[in-house]
Amino acid sequence: MTVLISVWGASPGVGKSTLCGGLARRLADAGLRVDHFREEEVLTRPQFAAVAEAFRTTGTVGPGLLIAATAEFVDSVLASGVDVVIADALVPFVPTLLATGHDEETIDAFLTDLTEVLAPVSPVMVFLDGNAGSALSRAAGREGDQWLDRYVGKLARYEVSPPVTDVASAVTYLARERAVTLAAVAQNGWHVVVIERADELSPADVLSAAERSLRAWLAEPGEAARDE
């Protein structure tokens, strides 16, 4: 069975990329064939070339294009014979759709189609929850204050709802992004592992919590797992 582990979080800086790297190493060490899909690779993977071009030329992308690209990606994963895909902030594309003006009804319908496309790779989401303000501060401490200015400016340009003009309003918007993402995947039957207070945990503790819940899910796919 091929499994896609989609890693998302309440905010940039909450530890998604660090967790993805840790999971990829652990699973590879266990003898599994792992495809680590890094966040920036959506702009370079051939299956998403049309998506990247749409962003470059128009600054937006439609649900149909995302579905087509994902179907091509799933086909390539199955053909490659990998056991696990670790996807850093890829599917289910909810932030992308919110940023390009799509409402929740459209997103729900999109998730229904996306879930069907992803069925052959048995998607599970690991969601790193926590305080978005603290996570943004941590990201700014790592990347510099200019990163935070660019991030806020990007959200402001996309005219998301509620609108973003500063860090405080970005935190408010991220709360909506979190709520819509979790509701949409739950409604479509995705298994979701939520790591609470991830911004307060060490990377090793986050990795241990994710591994523990994922092992439980792989052993008993019908039962939910949640780490507090």
Side-chain angles (χ1 to χ4, degrees):
M1 180 179 69
T2 302
V3 174
L4 184 147
I5 301 173
S6 175
V7 179
W8 277 95
S11 169
V14 77
K16 299 186 306 297
S17 296
T18 301
L19 175 60
C20 286
L23 284 174
R25 288 189 296 273
R26 290 288 181 87
L27 293 170
D29 289 345
L32 296 175
R33 294 162 294 180
V34 179
D35 179 3
H36 181 185
F37 194 122
R38 293 167 175 82
E39 185 171 3
E40 64 273 14
E41 289 182 31
V42 74
L43 299 177
T44 59
R45 293 254 183 154
Q47 299 84 6
F48 290 92
V51 173
E53 181 63 20
F55 270 118
R56 277 193 292 266
T57 57
T58 69
T60 188
V61 60
L65 188 57
L66 291 172
I67 291 290
T70 303
E72 187 176 347
F73 174 65
V74 168
D75 287 344
S76 71
V77 166
L78 296 176
S80 71
V82 301
D83 300 303
V84 182
V85 179
I86 308 293
D88 185 353
L90 181 63
V91 293
F93 303 112
V94 171
T96 298
L97 295 172
L98 286 174
T100 50
H102 296 284
D103 59 22
E104 292 176 32
E105 183 177 354
T106 301
I107 290 171
D108 286 341
F110 170 81
L111 256 291
T112 299
D113 293 339
L114 182 69
T115 300
E116 182 176 349
V117 168
L118 289 173
V121 291
S122 305
V124 55
M125 175 181 283
V126 177
F127 191 90
L128 302 187
D129 214 354
N131 184 294
S134 297
L136 286 175
S137 295
R138 185 162 69 178
R142 183 181 65 232
E143 305 292 340
D145 290 340
Q146 289 184 342
W147 173 88
L148 188 55
D149 291 340
R150 289 194 299 271
Y151 178 72
V152 171
K154 179 179 72 173
L155 292 180
R157 288 193 300 276
Y158 282 137
E159 299 182 354
V160 296
S161 178
V164 172
T165 57
D166 54 17
V167 174
S169 55
V171 170
T172 300
Y173 165 72
L174 286 169
R176 182 191 178 214
E177 184 180 279
R178 171 193 179 278
V180 174
T181 298
L182 291 175
V185 296
Q187 181 172 319
N188 283 278
W190 289 40
H191 180 72
V192 182
V193 171
V194 178
I195 309 299
E196 302 283 3
R197 301 186 298 277
D199 57 312
E200 301 174 18
L201 301 175
S202 70
D205 286 341
V206 171
L207 177 58
S208 294
E211 286 185 302
R212 187 165 58 250
S213 290
L214 287 170
R215 278 197 300 268
W217 177 74
L218 290 170
E220 299 289 345
E223 296 185 8
R226 184 181 183 92
D227 271 273
E228 298 296 339

